[in-house]
Amino acid sequence: MESANAKRGLEDALEKVGRSLADKFGIRLVCRGERCATDGKTIFLPSLPDEMPEELFQAIRGYLDHETGHIACKSDLKLGGEFKRKHGPGAYFLFNCLEDLRVEEAMRQRFPGSGHNFAQAYGHAMDKFAKLSDPLPLLKQIGCAAYALGNGLPPPGFVGATARKAVEGIRDIVLRAAPCRDSRETVKLAEEAWERLRALLENGGGGSRDAHGNPVVKSGENGTGKSGKTRAEAAEGGQADSLPAAGGGEGGGATGENKPVDGAVNGATGTPPPDLGSQTDAGESGGQGSAESNAGKGGSASPAGPSADPASSRASSRTGDRNNASDGSADPDADDQIANGGTFTGDANLAMSPGNALAELDAEASSIMDDLGRMISDGVNSHAENAQVYRAWDKSHDRVATADNSSARSHHERLAELLPRVAGVRRHLLQALQAEPKARWRGDREEGKIDPRSLHRLACPAPERENRPRVFRKKVRTRRLRTAAALLVDESTSMLDLNRIELASQTALVFCEALARLNVKTGVIGFSTLRGDSAGEISRRSGVPIDELRRRYRLCPLIHTVYKRFDEKFSNVSGRFENMRPKDLTPLGESILFAARELQARPEERKVLFVLTDGMPFVGAHLAYAAFAHAREAVKRVEKAGVDVALVGIQEQAVRRLHHRSVVVNALDELPRTVMRQLRKLLAGCRDWPAM
């Protein structure tokens, strides 16, 4: 089934988001390669196909909003790096989780629609985690549960009893994360949460507690006992095997009481799970950091109103349309066994001994920093591979150039040579389109002139008709629609044969001259690729084998040469047509979409696209099938968008398989006449083209 985002073009939609980000925050959005990443100013997404499952598209939007939050809300990467070096990767993971809650709450306040995108990304990640065959590491479970708590949701079903109780012990800290104003406040919370979390897992309920029942860790200990051993080492030496039911009361902390939210179990809201795509260490590269949002345009969530309970308020404003993977309850038997000092012997994912739990806090923590980005990347690449879809490795090197206007001859001299060959069909075109639109009778009126075809209604009026029979007619004069027409010219190497490129140039000249007399806005664009093989360099930088690159991606940059823009006067730019030159390959599908976007920006009611090509869509031998299928889908998309497409094959039958409105010119001298003839039929509204 065709996905909804296929109708609008995925990268086309994200390009608009990218422009908005650049204007608001100075953030660049680049679709390139196979992985998601960010460097603090640029957000990288994998090369995206035109069609993709809707849930994956929604996850991408949530990821962009998530990463944009880090940049727009000024997450301090340097401060995060210092925190990591001081406390280790486990504490840094917890800091990222709290920082995510802060920046995403700020994004919801700025752009309410981002809440829906965060919910979709959260649901996508939780679904993926729930389907894993092996239990998640404890720290990742703690992070997911903390994320759910910060958004007023029950923990996902895969979160075990140990992680649930650990998060209950830091409940008040988690609920204070969203209102933080900057990363420094988040660091203070993370230090407090890390000390308390280690104390919970190490002490097993022993030690002193504060007024809320939370374990007290002495200032400066920072997880190290008096003996100099780390708490993890001490735990391995034989600590109590019990994990207490952590305190925290009814929402102790600055946020007040944390009341349960009715119906929260039915929505997976919030954001990507704990630091599934969070900032990187200042000294690291290719990790997560910050990324973009569609500036609130991609969702329908409404901002939360003021409330005495921030967690409840956030939950009510972020509830998505997905069912949570969890019913929000843990196994009571497991809880009882752990609270009584034993280890749960059932599912290993539900509970573990405190010693093992403490040791896992630092283990595996560094492997989950970019989980959401990796899920998106793997999903995009898997879908593209299975569907054998057409993709470009990197579109940032594609070029749009303006042709040189220098010419040895004026357009009057060139037209003088051409007009004898096209005079007849050109005259018919002008006569047909310059004539006044025909007036037509419209019947079924209550006033006007008597309509002979409706007089029978007077003899046998229908019971449902009014007292005044509708037996009149009026003459209505139709209005001619304003039209914009574009000519897309193939500039591949094969156009050198038999002087085809010169005939294409002459056709463009006649095309613009004739339509200029009719006040039809015209544009002419040449398309091809730049020469050169960059597969070796791309393979070296990305680590992807050259054969795989050539099999999956277009590697050569596109070049679109503009010979005439719609608002330019034909006589001022006619010299450009003499400078048409063949280049390299035939990226037909992408070029049709490019020309259609130019047409869609026009205010005219009717839009027409003519394509001249002498070969199959081709960007490399390995992508022959994908390029042809992409061109065919591109024509369908453009037609659905309201652009009339006509293809003219220059001694090439492949155009007949691309679109029903196509002709093949075998006698090259007939090319200008054929284009003018079919242009007349198309502009006159003739849809059924005879085979030629």
Side-chain angles (χ1 to χ4, degrees):
M1 181 171 56
E2 183 178 344
S3 63
N5 63 72
K7 297 178 181 178
R8 57 184 174 269
L10 186 54
E11 286 195 6
D12 296 348
L14 293 179
E15 283 177 6
K16 296 179 182 178
V17 174
R19 288 193 292 269
S20 175
L21 289 175
D23 293 340
K24 291 179 180 293
F25 308 116
I27 302 171
R28 290 179 61 230
L29 173 60
V30 177
C31 294
R32 179 172 68 196
E34 295 187 327
R35 292 294 162 196
C36 293
T38 180
D39 61 5
K41 281 296 181 183
T42 303
I43 303 168
F44 297 95
L45 291 177
S47 176
L48 301 176
D50 289 330
E51 297 185 23
M52 217 162 47
E54 187 68 21
E55 63 271 15
L56 192 54
F57 177 56
Q58 295 293 342
I60 289 173
R61 297 178 71 162
Y63 173 81
L64 294 179
D65 285 6
H66 175 78
E67 293 300 328
T68 295
H70 281 293
I71 298 176
C73 301
K74 297 181 172 25
S75 286
D76 194 330
L77 300 184
K78 183 178 179 180
L79 187 64
E82 293 173 354
F83 184 86
K84 181 177 182 180
R85 286 187 289 273
K86 180 179 179 181
H87 297 284
Y92 179 65
F93 169 81
L94 192 59
F95 160 73
N96 272 331
C97 178
L98 299 177
E99 181 74 351
D100 289 345
L101 292 173
R102 177 185 78 84
V103 299
E104 290 179 2
E105 180 61 23
M107 286 294 289
R108 289 187 184 91
Q109 297 300 321
R110 278 195 194 186
F111 311 112
S114 64
H116 173 77
N117 297 337
F118 292 145
Q120 297 299 316
Y122 176 86
H124 180 80
M126 295 303 102
D127 286 348
K128 293 293 184 183
F129 284 146
K131 293 176 182 177
L132 294 176
S133 56
D134 297 328
L136 289 178
L138 175 63
L139 190 57
K140 188 181 293 186
Q141 293 185 39
I142 290 174
C144 292
Y147 228 87
L149 174 63
N151 287 285
L153 296 170
F158 56 78
V159 175
T162 301
R164 291 172 189 252
K165 288 190 175 294
V167 171
E168 278 297 313
I170 58 172
R171 165 186 285 271
D172 62 306
I173 300 176
V174 173
L175 296 179
R176 298 203 309 267
C180 287
R181 293 171 294 181
D182 54 34
S183 297
R184 292 193 176 277
E185 293 187 8
T186 309
V187 163
K188 294 178 182 178
L189 286 182
E191 289 176 337
E192 181 183 353
W194 183 243
E195 292 179 352
R196 187 186 298 178
L197 189 62
R198 295 185 68 90
L200 281 168
L201 295 176
E202 179 189 53
N203 295 334
S208 59
R209 292 179 176 266
D210 60 18
H212 299 289
N214 297 318
V216 175
V217 180
K218 294 180 181 180
S219 176
E221 278 191 20
N222 195 28
T224 305
K226 294 181 180 179
S227 64
K229 294 184 179 181
T230 65
R231 296 182 188 274
E233 292 170 343
E236 292 176 355
Q239 293 289 334
D241 288 338
S242 62
L243 181 64
E250 283 295 313
T255 59
E257 185 179 357
N258 180 42
K259 299 178 181 179
V261 181
D262 293 339
V265 72
N266 293 324
T269 64
T271 63
D275 233 51
L276 307 174
S278 57
Q279 73 242 33
T280 58
D281 186 351
E284 297 173 351
S285 62
Q288 305 300 94
S290 348
E292 86 62 318
S293 154
N294 60 7
K297 298 177 183 177
S300 57
S302 58
S307 171
D309 183 1
S312 178
S313 172
R314 289 194 298 275
S316 63
S317 66
R318 300 174 211 169
T319 302
D321 55 4
R322 298 175 55 98
N323 288 330
N324 198 313
S326 168
D327 61 0
S329 62
D331 188 334
D333 295 335
D335 292 347
D336 292 343
Q337 292 191 47
I338 295 171
N340 293 329
T343 14
F344 182 61
T345 57
D347 188 346
N349 190 35
L350 288 179
M352 59 182 68
S353 68
N356 291 337
L358 192 62
E360 277 206 23
L361 283 187
D362 285 314
E364 305 297 334
S366 61
S367 67
I368 60 176
M369 295 301 180
D370 59 348
D371 274 0
L372 182 61
R374 185 166 57 251
M375 288 176 183
I376 291 172
S377 301
D378 292 345
V380 169
N381 295 327
S382 175
H383 168 74
E385 184 72 13
N386 294 336
Q388 294 184 331
V389 297
Y390 177 95
R391 287 194 293 171
W393 174 266
D394 182 4
K395 292 186 177 181
S396 63
H397 299 295
D398 295 348
R399 288 178 51 197
V400 178
T402 302
D404 184 11
N405 197 23
S406 61
S407 174
R409 297 182 297 169
S410 68
H411 72 282
H412 297 290
E413 295 174 342
R414 300 188 69 196
L415 282 173
E417 297 177 2
L418 290 172
L419 287 181
R421 288 188 285 167
V422 298
V425 67
R426 174 176 171 273
R427 183 175 63 254
H428 292 156
L429 172 67
L430 296 177
Q431 289 174 349
L433 298 180
Q434 284 178 335
E436 287 296 321
K438 294 182 179 180
R440 300 179 181 275
W441 287 105
R442 296 289 176 85
D444 198 30
R445 296 289 189 270
E446 292 185 354
E447 58 184 11
K449 294 187 177 182
I450 292 292
D451 184 0
R453 293 175 297 182
S454 302
L455 290 177
H456 64 280
R457 297 177 180 175
L458 296 175
C460 49
E464 67 275 8
R465 289 191 178 276
E466 301 176 1
N467 295 332
R468 190 175 182 181
R470 302 170 69 89
V471 294
F472 299 94
R473 64 178 181 176
K474 280 187 176 182
K475 185 173 286 189
V476 179
R477 190 174 299 277
T478 58
R479 183 177 66 88
R480 182 185 293 118
L481 296 179
R482 294 181 302 160
T483 303
L487 181 66
L488 189 63
V489 181
D490 183 358
E491 292 185 310
S492 60
T493 306
S494 58
M495 290 289 283
L496 274 174
D497 299 341
L498 303 175
N499 207 26
R500 293 170 178 168
I501 194 69
E502 176 62 23
L503 288 170
S505 173
Q506 295 174 2
T507 301
L509 197 67
V510 175
F511 178 88
C512 292
E513 189 274 339
L515 293 182
R517 290 174 174 268
L518 299 170
N519 293 323
V520 173
K521 298 294 185 180
T522 56
V524 179
I525 304 170
F527 70 95
S528 187
T529 61
L530 296 172
R531 296 181 184 274
D533 188 353
S534 57
E537 176 64 18
I538 294 175
S539 177
R540 184 185 65 79
R541 286 190 283 107
S542 66
V544 181
I546 292 179
D547 289 343
E548 289 294 308
L549 285 172
R550 289 176 173 161
R551 183 171 63 85
R552 296 178 181 176
Y553 301 98
R554 167 180 66 80
L555 303 176
C556 44
L558 295 186
I559 173 70
H560 290 110
T561 307
V562 178
Y563 293 96
K564 182 185 179 300
R565 292 181 173 84
F566 290 98
D567 292 324
E568 291 179 324
K569 191 175 180 180
F570 165 65
S571 59
N572 294 338
V573 299
S574 59
R576 295 175 183 170
F577 298 111
E578 199 169 354
N579 294 311
M580 281 191 181
R581 299 289 184 270
K583 297 175 180 66
D584 199 4
L585 304 179
T586 313
L588 185 58
E590 288 183 277
S591 298
I592 288 175
L593 295 175
F594 175 84
R597 285 195 293 269
E598 296 295 310
L599 278 169
Q600 287 289 72
R602 298 295 306 168
E604 288 79 11
E605 294 94 341
R606 189 173 187 193
K607 301 169 178 66
V608 177
L609 175 60
F610 259 81
V611 182
L612 301 184
T613 181
D614 74 331
M616 292 273 290
F618 186 80
V619 291
H622 296 289
L623 284 174
Y625 170 79
F628 185 86
H630 179 256
R632 185 165 51 198
E633 289 302 313
V635 172
K636 291 180 181 178
R637 284 177 53 194
V638 170
E639 286 271 343
K640 287 181 180 179
V643 177
D644 292 325
V645 181
L647 285 81
V648 178
I650 305 174
Q651 297 179 331
E652 172 57 59
Q653 300 290 330
V655 294
R656 297 194 185 281
R657 292 188 287 152
L658 291 174
H659 193 37
H660 67 89
R661 196 181 299 123
S662 58
V663 294
V664 177
V665 179
N666 293 311
L668 294 181
D669 289 344
E670 289 293 312
L671 179 61
R673 288 177 56 84
T674 301
V675 170
M676 298 297 290
R677 187 181 300 116
Q678 306 311 329
L679 180 61
R680 176 191 172 188
K681 292 180 179 180
L682 186 59
L683 294 181
C686 178
R687 297 280 180 156
D688 299 323
W689 287 28
M692 295 185 61

